[in-house]
Amino acid sequence: MSGLIHVLNDAVANQIAAGEVIQRPASVVKELMENAVDAGATVITVVVKDAGKTLIQVVDNGQGMSEEDAGLCFHRHATSKISEAGDLFAIHTMGFRGEALASVAAVAEVILKTRRKEDELGTQVRVSGSKIQSQEVVSTPAGTNFQVKNLFFNLPARRKFLKSDQAELRHIINEFNHVALTNQEIECNLIHNDTDIFRLKPGNLRQRITGVFGKSVNAYLLPLKTETSVVRIGGYIGKPEHARKTYGEQFFFVNKRYIRHPYFHKAVMSAYAQILAPDHVPAYFIYFETDPERIDVNIHPSKTEVKFEEEKAIWQILLSSVKEAIGRNSLSPSLDFDKEGVIDIPVASKDREVRPPQIETNPDYNPFQEEQTYHRERITFPEKGYRSTYGQSERSGEDDRLEGWEKLFEPASAITSAGNKYLQIKNKYVLSPVKSGLMVIDQRRAHERILYDRMLAAAEKNSPVAQQTLFPETIRLNAEDYQVCLEMMEHLETLGFDIRDFGNQSIVVQGIPAEMTPGLIKEKLEWMIEQFKNLQEEPVTGEVERLARAAASAGAIGYGRPLTGTEIQELVDQLFACSNPNYSPSGKPVVKILELGELDKYFKA
Ligand code: ADP
Ligand code: MG
C-alpha cells in the first residue's frame, strides 16, 4: 500500500508555530473544504446541524485516502503536501501545516470514511479527543466523508463562548463563500438543519458570484483584467450606481485564498471617488495572482492578512484597472458585459519602477447625474409621528426639560426678528445665536440622538408605535445578511419594527418605528444590518441598545438635506428634550458653542 503521508520531522515541526486553528464551527468548515479542494474533488457538500455545534459534515468525491493514510491524517504535522524544511515556504504560502485535522480531532468526535477509486473497500476511523477509537474496513463511496460532532465537547468554556446559532451560521456561510468563490469549477452545496442554503453548480466566475449573491447581481458586474509582471488582477467590480450601504460583497483573493486588505480597499474606493453616493461601498470580487514568494501570509495567524512585496505598485495598478473598468462602462453603457478588456502593459523588471497602466477614462462621468434625487432626497422629516409615542402634549413635556438649556438661549425675539432664529448652512449644520455666542448643531447627529432616545424610551415602556409601510415590502437578502436580520428580529419588535421572516432568505417589512423617516425601506434595512454587524465588535452595549443605535443611524436625516424653519425648530426642541443632547448615541459631539470670546479674537487687530 503506497501511503502519501509522511510525518514531518521535529526540526520542521518546531519551525511551525502552533496556532489556534479551530476557533469556531466555521474554522472546521474552512479546513475540511480546503482539504476537499486539495484532494481534487468536483463536488463538495457541507451539512451542518445547529450551526455546526452538533454536526459538521463535509463530503467530497476527491482522491480519498489509503487505509494507512486514513489513520495517519489525524497526527500532528501529518501532511501529504510538504515533506521537508525546504518546502517551508509552501507552508507559509499555502498554509499546509498538517495541523488542521489533528486540531479538529483534539476538540471533537470525528468519524472519517474514505476510499480511493482504485480500492474496492474503504476505511472508517473514529477519533475522539485525539484518541483513535476504532479503525475498520467499510464500504463507502469513493472520496472522503468527515463527520465532526459535538465540537469542543471536552472544552466546556470554549463551547460556552460560541455565539448564537445565527451568528455561527453566518461565519460558516462566510467561510463557505470564500471557498465557493475561488473554486467555481467545483459544485458546492451547503445544507443547514435539512434546509438548502446553497446549491452551486459548476460554472464560470460570473455564474458563481450570482449563485452566491443572487441573480440580480449579474446586471451590475463589470469585468476587471490586468496583467503586469508584478501581479495579475482579475474578477469583477460592481457598477457605481449599485453600490450599497452594507459591506458584505467586497472580496480580495490572492492565489485563490481569501484575504482582507484595508489598504487595497482604499485603492478601490479612490477609483470610485466622486461617483458614489455618500456612505456607499461598491461590490467587488478581485482576484490577485502573484508569485507566492512575493507575499507573506505569516503576518496574521488566521492567514487572512497578507503582505505584498510591492504593495505600492500594486495599489497603483489596482486603482488604474478599477478606474478603467468603470470608465469602460460609462463610455459605452450598452456594452456587452462579457467583453473582457485586457490592458496592454509592458513587462517591468523587478528593480525598474512599475508604471501604472495609462487608461482613458471619462473624468466627468457621474452615474448620479440623471438621478440626483437618488440619495435620501425622498426622506421627509417626521412631523408628528412620535407624538403618539409620548402621548402627551409635546411642548409642555419639553418645556420642563428645556429649563437648563433655556438659560443658555436668549429668547429668539431678542436676537433677530421673529422666525430668523436659526440658520442652516451647507445643509449640514444648524446655527443659532445663544447668550454666550453661537451654537452649532450637527443636524444628522442631532436627529440620531433624538431617534435613539425615543426608540429606547418606547421600548422601555413597552409601547413602541409602528407606522405601517404603504405596501408591505419584501426584501431578499444575501445569505449572511439574512442571518443578521434573523438575529436582530427578536428585538426589532421592541423598537417598533414590524418585520417578518418570509423564508427563502427574504423578509417582509410591514412597519417601522413611528419616529423614523418613512420611505427607502430597503436602504434603511441594509444600513441597519451594516451598523448592527459593526457594533457587534463592541460588547459594551446590550442588544436593544445596539439595535436602537443601528436603527437611529438608519433612520436619521442625512447631511445635504435642506430643512424648513419648522423642521429646524422641531429638531432643536426635540434635541434639547433629550437626556444627553451633547453627544450622539455613538459618543460623537452634537452641539458646540462658539464662545463670544472666541469670536472676539477673530476681530482683534
Ligand atoms: P494539510 O491540509 O495541511 O496537509 P490537514 O491536517 O488538513 O493538513 O490534512 C492532513 C492530510 O490528510 C492531508 O495532507 C491529506 O493528505 C489528508 N486529507 C485530509 N483531508 C482529505 C480529503 N478530503 N481527501 C483526501 N485526503 C485528505
Ligand atoms: Mg488542510
Side-chain angles (χ1 to χ4, degrees), residues 5 31-32 35-36 38-39 60 63-65 73 78-81 95-102 144 146:
I5 297 179
E31 296 296 341
L32 294 187
N35 281 347
D38 295 340
D60 71 55
Q63 68 188 31
M65 282 180 261
C73 72
T79 177
S80 57
K81 297 164 194 169
F96 298 141
R97 310 197 292 187
E99 253 178 3
L101 289 183
T144 300
F146 275 102

Side-chain angles (χ1 to χ4, degrees), residues 201-222:
K201 294 294 168 216
N204 59 28
L205 182 58
R206 180 186 278 275
Q207 289 163 328
R208 181 50 54 100
I209 294 171
T210 56
V212 172
F213 293 103
K215 286 207 183 68
S216 61
V217 178
N218 189 37
Y220 68 71
L221 295 180
L222 302 171

